[in-house]
Amino acid sequence: MNVEGLERLRQEAKNQWRELHSKPLLTIGTATCGRGAGALETLETIRRFVADRNIECGVVEVGCIGLCYAEPIMSISLPGMPIVFYGEVTPKRAGEIVEQHLLLGKPVAKYAIGAVGDGEIKGIPNLFETPMMRKQVRLVLSRCGFIEPANLMHYLANGGFDGLQRALNMERMQIIDELRRSGLRGRGGAGFPTWRKWLVCIQTPSEEKFVICNSDEGDPGAFMNRSLIEGDPYSVLEGLLIAGYTIGAAEGFIYCRAEYPLALSRLREAIAELERVGLLGDNILGSDFCFRIRVVEGAGAFVCGEETALIASIEGKRGMPRTRPPFPAVKGLWGKPTVINNVETLAWVSHILRHGAEWFAKHGTEGSKGTKTFSLAGKVKRTGLIEVPLGATLREIVYDIGGGSASGREIKAVQIGGPSGGCIPVDLFDLPVDYESLTSAGAIMGSGGIVVMDEDTCMVDVAHYFLQFTQRESCGKCVPCRLGTKQMLTILEDITHGRGKSEDIQLLEELASAVKVGSLCGLGQTAPNPVLTTVRYFRGEYEAHIKDRRCPAGVCVPLLRFEVDEGKCTKCGRCARVCPVGAIAWERGSFPIIDRSKCIKCRACIIECPEHAIN
Amino acid sequence: MSQMELIEEKMEERVDRILSCFSGRREELIVILQRIQDEFGYLPEFALIRVAKFLGVPEAHVYGVASFYAQFRFKPMGKNVITVCRGTACHVRGSPMVIEEVKNRLGIEEGDTTPDLRWTLETVACIGMCALAPCVIVNGKVHGKVTPRRIAEIIKAVEGVEKK
């Protein structure tokens, strides 16, 4: 396809987009979160409803708008009226809303989350002024939830491929300079300046070069990249194309985990579409740039998120990392210079080339420019996919955007950065979220997973959980990681089982520093972080486990006595009702009695008790 | 020829059909294993031997790669598969209790299949549906905000459908 062809297609796309919005339009979010909440059943109901009554209305499946707590999410727009977003749209509710809003033109305020667009609807706030959205700046996520993800026309109608078109008219060094001025740093974890990585690759002479998009989002508790691919796959592919053009590669790879089937299918669909119209292939837009993209499906190994391990995996080998240098930008896939960037980084490249460096750099802090996506999960009221300027505080993220505790129990920490990151306690919540501040607190930015923890979360158990994860995922190549994580895990197991010794904390710290210093790759070098941060900020909990043989949060089963604290108990009887084996006897007005011989230690009563009266 | 041998021969044909789509380059190994597992639900031993021959590499190499990745299984799956997510968000919101419930109900450990080949219990590091934690996938369908009681109902519902 040449430039004129693209212009024609873009014009057609804009016409189609206008046409689509000149009629009643109904969208429903069917990304993975939506589906988990039953969006496909709702969609089915809506389709039948619209067909049965012969309603003239477009029904479009869109990606995730980020309000995951309220899935399934549906929007309705009537010409001349703002788009109204509805939450928790069960099939039953869908019928009611469609009937009222679509047929009678009366938006249903009680189910609405917010409205987008010109004009006001009584009782429905502007979506971007609602608490969850107000502090967000949605740039890289701007299309997610508004366009049909794999529909190229929707992408083109909303600025798609402007960036590539501009890039193809620039000298490579001008592109590097644009990225340098933007201050874009890698969004996958380490935060290395993107332009520098690319420059090294350009400066390394080789006939063949490669670019790889790292979509091996392995951190448990993180789903930003999945949502971005599911909601706006072309932005990632466009970034990959620009990277390929800049460094002089003719082939790009997307390494995506098999656990993301929907993201994989969206990518494949989008790539096929680009091949069909000629935006992938030979002489793209009439230039001498030829490029192809291959999707590689990961096979379930966390360590493959590490770039040298990822390369080994694409080469069909065990995904084991190797020593760096040489860095992949010098010697990567099949020994050729290779640029590896994270999903979000590449999506940013397409946006930055479209809008310019200044547009990006006006957000964020001095050292951490731009906005960043985070997945907000755990014990917070409004879970979801968010985007905030770097430098926003954890307090803003957890309380303003997330709405604070879901259960009413006090929030005590967030875990940020996955198994490589750390736990940051609530008294440090005024910490700005930027690369340097998080590192100084013992955590890392990581790819952006934030898991909120409340009083009912045991921090020793969390440390044990992460270490069990890294220990399982350790590839076994280097000794400090293979044996060090195992020893640390054994000690944590002792502590959570009531066999802890007073010298264990110091031993953990010593082992942790050895594993950090001695490990070959990022997995081992960062594996001790969850342990070190919990020891640093929650030492009291470790000591309670070791000295008093007590788990203050009531999580570590071997330490639980299942006794009713009659000083706290209000005799409400909820524990007896929730017990699955009938081990709790209770009569109105008296304290419950727990029969230990029947008790299976499932903790249902502890979780149910509103007074924390069972320990 | 016994019935068992007949079945095995049929299976070999199926493996060969998969291999015929590939050119025999070593880098294709993981993709080949993924296709074979798609076909059989696991990696049968004879298939690994055939793959080694096809790529011209030692059998140990094929097994080494296959055993490295969590995705690959060497035993057949049950008819119904429960996959419990053990991601961070799921962990703090109670997935260990869900796993416990499934174990008690089906009498199997993580990664095992019931002797009657009806159920397999797996865990997965994270499926990225953290906002609806804890999540469980039952026969490909994702369920969010699952409690021990809810998973018990789901299992019963599947068994109820099978009895009919």
Side-chain angles (χ1 to χ4, degrees):
Chain A
M1 183 191 277
N2 55 22
V3 177
E4 292 75 46
L6 178 64
E7 281 303 343
R8 264 200 309 278
L9 200 63
R10 188 176 281 142
Q11 202 48 54
E12 197 188 321
K14 284 186 176 156
N15 292 341
Q16 280 183 16
W17 183 256
R18 219 173 295 126
E19 173 78 19
L20 185 70
H21 288 83
S22 68
K23 281 186 283 194
L25 178 67
L26 195 151
T27 72
I28 177 150
T30 54
T32 302
C33 293
R35 289 176 186 208
L40 292 181
E41 287 80 356
T42 301
L43 177 66
E44 181 58 36
T45 312
I46 293 168
R47 284 235 161 96
R48 227 179 306 124
F49 192 95
V50 171
D52 286 353
R53 280 156 225 232
N54 250 332
I55 305 170
E56 199 195 345
C57 163
V59 177
V60 172
E61 289 183 54
V62 296
C64 172
I65 195 171
L67 307 157
C68 307
Y69 72 99
E71 295 281 6
I73 289 172
M74 176 176 88
S75 89
I76 292 181
S77 64
L78 298 176
M81 274 171 86
I83 310 170
V84 178
F85 283 85
Y86 294 100
E88 293 169 54
V89 185
T90 53
K92 188 164 161 256
R93 209 179 260 192
E96 189 184 336
I97 298 170
V98 173
E99 178 113 38
Q100 288 290 318
H101 191 162
L102 207 58
L103 286 182
L104 304 173
K106 289 187 208 149
V108 190
K110 64 176 169 180
Y111 300 137
I113 303 173
V116 176
D118 296 332
E120 251 179 79
I121 298 176
K122 202 168 160 256
I124 302 176
N126 181 327
L127 181 70
F128 295 110
E129 289 301 320
T130 55
M132 184 157 189
M133 290 293 201
R134 198 182 305 134
K135 294 220 164 158
Q136 292 194 48
V137 178
R138 292 175 85 88
L139 304 175
V140 78
L141 296 176
S142 56
R143 296 189 197 96
C144 286
F146 290 93
I147 64 168
E148 192 176 8
N151 187 329
L152 179 60
M153 298 305 255
H154 283 197
Y155 185 65
L156 285 174
N158 289 281
F161 288 102
D162 287 3
L164 177 70
Q165 201 175 347
R166 181 159 167 254
L168 291 179
N169 285 318
M170 289 163 81
E171 294 292 324
R172 290 159 156 202
M173 292 314 285
Q174 286 179 306
I175 299 176
I176 296 288
D177 191 55
E178 186 88 48
L179 290 179
R180 188 185 55 74
R181 282 187 296 115
S182 76
L184 175 64
R185 295 170 66 174
R187 292 301 197 241
F192 193 76
T194 305
W195 67 274
R196 204 174 285 167
K197 210 184 237 185
W198 291 20
L199 187 62
V200 171
C201 194
I202 290 178
Q203 287 167 341
T204 310
S206 171
E207 295 252 308
E208 232 181 343
K209 293 178 184 181
F210 299 103
V211 281
I212 300 173
C213 170
N214 184 348
S215 326
D216 195 46
E217 185 173 53
D219 286 3
F223 55 91
M224 305 76 49
N225 296 349
R226 171 182 69 64
S227 299
L228 185 53
I229 294 175
E230 286 177 358
D232 190 11
Y234 288 107
S235 67
V236 181
L237 298 177
E238 187 182 346
L240 197 59
L241 271 153
I242 295 170
Y245 169 72
T246 312
I247 65 151
E251 197 169 6
F253 294 82
I254 300 187
Y255 188 91
C256 182
R257 42 198 313 251
E259 289 88 338
Y260 287 176
L262 187 62
L264 278 162
S265 82
R266 291 263 156 90
L267 283 171
R268 292 195 170 110
E269 220 178 308
I271 290 169
E273 182 66 6
L274 291 181
E275 284 169 350
R276 193 183 65 78
V277 302
L279 280 165
L280 274 175
D282 293 334
N283 302 100
I284 294 166
L285 295 182
S287 68
D288 55 3
F289 173 50
C290 309
F291 197 70
R292 278 169 182 81
I293 298 177
R294 244 161 73 187
V295 175
V296 180
E297 210 172 297
F302 175 67
V303 69
C304 288
E306 199 279 343
E307 51 186 20
T308 59
L310 188 151
I311 286 171
S313 184
I314 294 183
E315 291 172 350
K317 301 175 192 153
R318 290 164 71 95
M320 289 163 111
R322 60 162 174 78
T323 32
R324 300 178 305 175
F327 286 93
V330 175
K331 212 171 168 201
L333 188 60
W334 291 298
K336 309 287 188 217
T338 304
V339 157
I340 302 188
N341 282 135
N342 161 269
V343 170
E344 190 186 329
T345 313
L346 287 170
W348 273 121
V349 167
S350 66
H351 284 275
I352 290 170
L353 264 294
R354 174 178 173 219
H355 295 285
E358 289 67 30
W359 168 85
F360 179 80
K362 71 174 184 239
H363 299 284
T365 67
E366 190 52 39
S368 306
K369 295 285 184 212
T371 61
K372 164 99 194 70
T373 60
F374 292 95
S375 56
L376 190 56
K379 302 204 174 162
V380 65
K381 203 180 279 170
R382 291 188 288 267
T383 55
L385 172 70
I386 64 166
E387 180 175 349
V388 291
L390 287 173
T393 65
L394 284 169
R395 194 176 301 285
E396 287 173 304
I397 292 175
V398 174
Y399 289 97
D400 297 342
I401 296 174
S405 170
S407 58
R409 310 265 211 231
E410 289 285 312
I411 287 173
K412 73 173 172 195
V414 297
Q415 207 286 339
I416 182 164
S420 308
C423 295
I424 297 179
V426 69
D427 38 308
L428 291 181
F429 271 18
D430 289 317
L431 196 76
V433 176
D434 61 56
Y435 292 97
E436 278 69 31
S437 306
L438 288 176
T439 308
S440 73
I444 62 160
M445 176 79 77
S447 57
I450 296 181
V451 181
V452 178
M453 299 170 172
D454 66 10
E455 281 175 335
D456 287 345
T457 314
C458 168
M459 300 315 279
V460 186
D461 174 67
V462 166
H464 176 262
Y465 164 82
F466 277 113
L467 213 64
Q468 192 177 35
F469 178 83
T470 35
Q471 195 271 326
R472 265 188 207 182
E473 295 294 337
S474 171
C475 79
K477 184 168 178 172
C478 70
V479 177
C481 179
R482 182 178 71 231
L483 300 183
T485 55
K486 179 75 188 161
Q487 287 308 317
M488 288 175 72
L489 182 63
T490 310
I491 295 171
L492 284 168
E493 241 158 48
D494 281 348
I495 298 176
T496 53
H497 281 74
R499 301 187 298 261
K501 295 186 284 289
S502 55
E503 62 271 24
D504 278 352
I505 297 180
Q506 201 200 335
L507 189 57
L508 267 179
E509 287 176 315
E510 277 172 31
L511 274 165
S513 65
V515 173
K516 255 179 121 105
V517 174
S519 293
L520 183 61
C521 82
L523 190 151
Q525 287 159 10
T526 59
N529 286 349
V531 180
L532 287 173
T533 49
T534 46
V535 169
R536 180 163 152 194
Y537 300 121
F538 299 95
R539 203 183 186 90
E541 287 196 32
Y542 279 85
E543 283 166 352
H545 282 72
I546 294 169
K547 290 189 188 133
D548 314 335
R549 303 274 186 250
R550 190 170 64 80
C551 174
V555 171
C556 300
V557 174
L559 296 178
L560 300 179
R561 290 188 289 266
F562 292 91
E563 285 168 354
V564 177
D565 181 341
E566 298 188 352
K568 287 183 184 167
C569 179
T570 58
K571 308 176 184 171
C572 69
R574 282 166 74 166
C575 53
R577 281 195 292 276
V578 81
C579 180
V581 290
I584 305 181
W586 171 78
E587 275 169 35
R588 192 169 299 277
S590 63
F591 291 114
I593 299 160
I594 302 177
D595 182 347
R596 303 274 171 69
S597 66
K598 282 191 192 162
C599 174
I600 56 165
K601 298 194 168 187
C602 73
R603 293 176 54 247
C605 53
I606 294 182
I607 292 161
E608 184 69 19
C609 179
E611 306 299 328
H612 272 290
I614 302 173
N615 55 41
Chain B
M1 206 182 260
S2 76
Q3 189 149 12
M4 209 47 219
E5 282 168 320
L6 265 173
I7 291 170
E8 186 124 315
E9 194 178 86
K10 275 241 174 88
M11 285 170 85
E12 286 191 6
E13 275 172 26
R14 283 154 75 190
V15 172
D16 289 343
R17 204 165 43 236
I18 291 168
L19 293 179
S20 68
C21 307
F22 292 90
S23 59
R25 293 196 311 272
R26 286 178 191 194
E27 76 221 39
E28 293 171 331
L29 174 55
I30 295 173
V31 192
I32 292 174
L33 295 177
Q34 285 170 332
R35 294 295 155 268
I36 292 175
Q37 183 154 300
D38 285 346
E39 177 79 20
F40 298 104
Y42 74 110
L43 298 176
E45 190 181 326
F46 77 89
L48 295 180
I49 296 169
R50 257 183 138 70
V51 171
K53 270 205 197 100
F54 177 71
L55 298 177
V57 295
E59 287 162 22
H61 176 77
V62 174
Y63 182 74
V65 169
S67 59
F68 183 85
Y69 294 97
Q71 190 187 21
F72 298 119
R73 288 181 294 265
F74 301 98
K75 282 188 281 186
M77 298 278 276
K79 190 170 160 225
N80 302 296
V81 183
I82 300 183
T83 312
V84 186
C85 180
R86 45 187 308 146
T88 318
C90 290
H91 182 82
V92 300
R93 293 226 287 208
S95 73
M97 289 186 300
V98 176
I99 296 173
E100 242 358 86
E101 178 67 27
V102 179
K103 281 186 185 170
N104 288 337
R105 203 154 271 277
L106 302 176
I108 48 174
E109 290 295 308
E110 282 167 46
D112 281 352
T113 300
T114 52
D116 60 2
L117 289 182
R118 293 208 23 218
W119 290 97
T120 295
L121 168 63
E122 287 189 322
T123 59
V124 61
C126 182
I127 58 166
M129 221 180 73
C130 321
L132 297 175
C135 348
V136 176
I137 308 173
V138 180
N139 296 336
K141 183 169 165 35
V142 185
H143 302 263
K145 298 183 183 172
V146 178
T147 57
R149 192 175 291 175
R150 180 87 191 95
I151 191 66
E153 286 165 12
I154 295 170
I155 294 173
K156 268 192 205 146
V158 172
E159 288 185 332
V161 169
E162 282 186 353
K163 268 188 197 133
K164 272 182 197 163

